[in-house]
Amino acid sequence: MSDEGWLAFSERVAWDARFHATCEPGPRPDAAALALINDRNASVLVAVSALMDRRSDISEDDSPLTQEVARLDAKLNVLMEIVNRLLLPQSGLPPRIALRFNASGAVLPWDGLPPVGQTALLKIHFDACRALPLELPAVRLAGPTDGKGFLGFEGLSEPVRDGIERLVFRQHRRQVAEARAHARPQEPSEG
């Protein structure tokens, strides 16, 4: 199973960044606990996706209604930041670690990971919604040997897996668009 898990992870697009995250060794959750985790994760994914999908700019051609929605979105973002700071101040977050993940698993530094074959719970806090971590039951599997370890996710419902895949794909698409925008030659200004 471990080679299959690593292969499934390696063949998919993954989000590679520094996240506030923890990996806590522990027992495999029972069916009732897993159902609660999946329900919470589905809600977290909806919230994170909604908060990350912001309109970046408003053109002059946009209607007054579109501009008003954009203003309301900006106000909501400020409110969410206030709520995040009240519920979970920066000092209460776990440290940022280099993490690459998708719906199959995650690669992260060996420090604090359980031995191969042991179960754990990976919690990822997104900047858009710090107070609601994504909780991912996992088992440590064989993977990279470069000072990092691989966790294969277990027990995630199909809607949660789909939500993670969509989130990772959108982030990948956003990164590609930003890279292309920075790579374009600057047009000379007319004067």
Side-chain angles (χ1 to χ4, degrees):
M1 162 61 184
S2 63
D3 289 338
E4 292 172 18
W6 175 247
L7 186 60
F9 173 81
S10 300
E11 292 178 344
R12 291 189 140 104
V13 173
W15 187 348
D16 194 351
R18 294 186 59 80
F19 295 94
H20 292 284
T22 59
C23 179
E24 301 165 356
R28 185 172 276 116
D30 63 20
L34 196 55
L36 285 172
I37 289 170
N38 278 312
D39 285 346
R40 281 194 309 258
N41 283 342
S43 297
V44 168
L45 288 165
V46 167
V48 169
S49 292
L51 292 169
M52 288 181 67
D53 287 341
R54 300 177 186 150
R55 289 185 51 89
S56 59
D57 57 2
I58 299 172
S59 71
E60 293 175 13
D61 297 336
D62 284 340
S63 71
L65 179 60
T66 303
Q67 291 178 5
E68 183 60 25
V69 168
R71 281 191 289 277
L72 288 172
D73 180 56
K75 290 176 183 179
L76 179 62
N77 290 333
V78 169
L79 274 173
M80 282 304 300
E81 183 58 28
I82 291 168
V83 169
N84 273 328
R85 288 182 186 191
L86 289 174
L87 291 177
L88 187 61
Q90 191 75 18
S91 62
L93 287 170
R96 285 190 187 269
I97 60 170
L99 177 68
R100 191 173 80 210
F101 79 99
N102 60 29
S104 297
V107 173
L108 59 160
W110 273 338
D111 295 343
L113 290 182
V116 172
Q118 297 293 313
T119 57
L121 183 67
L122 176 65
K123 293 182 182 179
I124 303 172
H125 297 262
F126 296 94
D127 289 334
C129 193
R130 294 189 309 249
L132 301 173
L134 191 61
E135 299 176 333
L136 304 162
V139 63
R140 170 83 188 272
L141 301 173
T145 57
D146 59 355
K148 296 181 180 175
F150 174 62
L151 294 174
F153 299 145
E154 290 190 330
L156 299 182
S157 66
E158 202 57 39
V160 169
R161 285 186 182 280
D162 290 345
I164 293 172
E165 287 294 330
R166 281 192 303 275
L167 182 67
V168 167
F169 179 75
R170 280 196 300 269
Q171 179 63 23
H172 176 71
R173 190 175 64 201
R174 196 174 293 123
Q175 288 173 329
V176 168
E178 287 173 4
R180 285 183 181 160
H182 291 298
R184 280 190 209 129
Q186 298 295 323
E187 295 179 18
S189 59
E190 296 179 29

